[in-house]
Amino acid sequence: MKTLKDLCLDCLMNNLRGNISCIVRCLATVHKEILLERLVFHDRLTPDYLPHVTYNLFSSTIRRINFYKCTQVTDMVLEQLNYSQCKITHLTISDCKSVTDVGIVWITKKQTCLEYLELRKLHQLTAKAFVNLCSPCLRTVKLRTCNKINTEAVQMLLKKVDSVEELALTSCKRLDDSVIAVICHHLGPSLKDLNLRDLYTLSNSSLILLANHFPNLISLNLHGCSRITDEGVNQIVRKCTSLRDLDLSYCTGLQSKPHSTSLTNLPVTLQQLSLVGVMSDDTQLITEAVKRLRALKSLRLCGIPAVNDESRHSAEILIFSVGT
């Protein structure tokens, strides 16, 4: 059942071209942002309706943009949004297949207040998309499944900003191990959260480089980094002593001794740990690794041969250890 608020927003969304439009222009910024998000989600940026959307909702007060899975979001739409002189703080564009480098260049032009940038499944993006990025306030950058994003693109992005605290470069097929040197060159100790999920080429030498450059890391996601072994992970757990969230899922290089002893040296500060698919068959090792982590609140052990019906007692110890 829809709330009265939702019914009112739906009414406004469907009547931008009527007399009710004068009410829309007087709405609070947060409600304009919600309306714009809903119009995009419901594919209402049609050629005959778009002029009414731009007239009523594109304004200098807009701060948050969240465009999801809409082919009607084009470079031209992003250009028009920039012409409204909006000062965007949060920008998320996901799976809008018509968006290219040109659109991102337009929407980031003169956006000096941008704090959060998330671009997902934009398969036409290259390094050229970031030439206008200029915000000294940018704290969070997330690039996910952007298939043309490579090390050159990340370098173009990071050389424009040095204040990033959270960086996610996940499932971008053209990224390789060389991106680590770029991250270390452009970012400093302010980086607290790093997500390198599915960076299959990540090597131990690059992991050691990360450990040396970012000792203040609080969260690190290495899901699917199958080439790393004890050599690299040991440096992370020794030098990043403030880690609270660590994902080593499918890091198959840790599956057996002597390549999994780093698990017994994990920081005691950890609150969330994922070892899904590590494939270790050493029950004692897994048990000892987790028992000492008294701050743990979340533990994922799916797909580990060491935790099975035959090791029920050890599994009970693991479960009891979490959150105690």
Side-chain angles (χ1 to χ4, degrees):
M1 181 179 294
K2 289 189 176 182
T3 64
L4 179 58
K5 176 183 175 180
D6 286 329
L7 289 172
C8 291
L9 287 171
D10 285 348
C11 179
L12 293 173
M13 183 177 74
N14 294 321
N15 291 279
L16 291 181
R17 71 178 87 203
N19 295 330
I20 204 170
S21 65
C22 61
I23 298 176
V24 175
R25 293 197 298 277
C26 297
L27 286 176
T29 296
V30 63
H31 294 129
K32 285 185 178 181
E33 292 168 349
I34 293 172
L35 271 178
L36 188 54
E37 182 177 340
R38 292 189 181 191
L39 284 160
V40 168
F41 185 75
H42 291 286
D43 295 323
R44 296 299 304 276
L45 303 187
T46 56
D48 63 321
Y49 208 59
L50 180 59
H52 302 285
V53 175
T54 58
Y55 179 71
N56 290 292
L57 295 176
F58 285 15
S59 72
S60 59
T61 62
I62 295 295
R63 296 292 179 266
R64 293 173 177 263
I65 296 295
N66 186 7
F67 291 163
Y68 174 73
K69 207 169 186 178
C70 179
T71 57
Q72 295 169 348
V73 174
T74 63
D75 295 339
M76 184 195 72
V77 170
L78 297 179
E79 180 182 354
Q80 289 180 304
L81 186 55
N82 181 270
Y83 281 144
S84 72
Q85 298 184 342
C86 56
K87 299 298 181 184
I88 302 173
T89 59
H90 290 67
L91 176 62
T92 300
I93 303 178
S94 177
D95 205 9
C96 296
K97 301 185 186 302
S98 301
V99 173
T100 71
D101 291 340
V102 175
I104 301 303
V105 167
W106 271 113
I107 197 60
T108 56
K109 185 177 181 180
K110 297 182 180 179
Q111 296 295 344
T112 57
C113 298
L114 188 63
E115 300 173 6
Y116 181 98
L117 175 65
E118 182 173 4
L119 305 174
R120 292 183 289 167
K121 295 186 179 180
L122 302 182
H123 301 308
Q124 301 186 63
L125 291 196
T126 69
K128 296 177 181 178
F130 306 116
V131 296
N132 273 345
L133 202 62
C134 60
S135 175
C137 309
L138 193 58
R139 298 288 182 266
T140 300
V141 175
K142 297 181 179 182
L143 303 179
R144 178 179 178 184
T145 322
C146 297
N147 291 337
K148 290 187 178 181
I149 292 295
N150 55 16
T151 298
E152 179 190 359
V154 176
Q155 183 171 18
M156 175 65 75
L157 189 158
L158 294 182
K159 76 178 183 180
K160 300 281 185 175
V161 294
D162 59 5
S163 55
V164 175
E165 297 177 359
E166 180 180 358
L167 178 64
L169 304 171
T170 61
S171 304
C172 297
K173 295 180 179 179
R174 293 196 181 182
L175 277 181
D176 58 35
D177 192 51
S178 63
V179 76
I180 303 303
V182 170
I183 295 172
C184 292
H185 178 74
H186 290 286
L187 298 182
S190 62
L191 185 66
K192 299 293 194 300
D193 188 321
L194 182 60
N195 188 340
L196 299 173
R197 180 181 176 124
D198 295 334
L199 184 60
Y200 304 115
T201 58
L202 183 67
S203 64
N204 283 324
S205 58
S206 290
L207 203 55
I208 293 170
L209 192 61
L210 286 175
N212 290 331
H213 275 77
F214 306 114
N216 297 325
L217 280 177
I218 293 174
S219 177
L220 180 62
N221 190 332
L222 300 174
H223 184 291
C225 298
S226 55
R227 294 189 181 184
I228 61 174
T229 65
D230 247 19
E231 180 185 356
V233 177
N234 260 323
Q235 292 302 308
I236 288 290
V237 300
R238 288 173 183 171
K239 297 185 177 181
C240 302
T241 55
S242 299
L243 271 177
R244 293 202 298 258
D245 186 352
L246 180 62
D247 192 337
L248 295 173
S249 300
Y250 300 102
C251 293
T252 51
L254 302 175
Q255 66 184 18
S256 60
K257 290 183 178 179
H259 303 300
S260 57
T261 54
S262 57
L263 297 180
T264 59
N265 298 317
L266 295 173
V268 293
T269 54
L270 279 179
Q271 296 180 12
Q272 298 184 70
L273 174 65
S274 180
L275 298 174
V276 174
V278 169
M279 301 305 293
S280 173
D281 57 1
D282 191 330
T283 301
Q284 183 179 0
L285 173 71
I286 298 297
T287 304
E288 290 176 357
V290 176
K291 280 180 65 177
R292 55 187 291 277
L293 304 177
R294 293 298 180 177
L296 270 185
K297 296 179 181 178
S298 173
L299 174 65
R300 300 183 66 210
L301 296 172
C302 307
I304 299 182
V307 182
N308 52 40
D309 290 340
E310 295 179 0
S311 58
R312 180 180 175 183
H313 176 66
S314 296
E316 289 174 349
I317 293 175
L318 291 176
I319 293 170
F320 180 74
S321 298
V322 178
T324 62

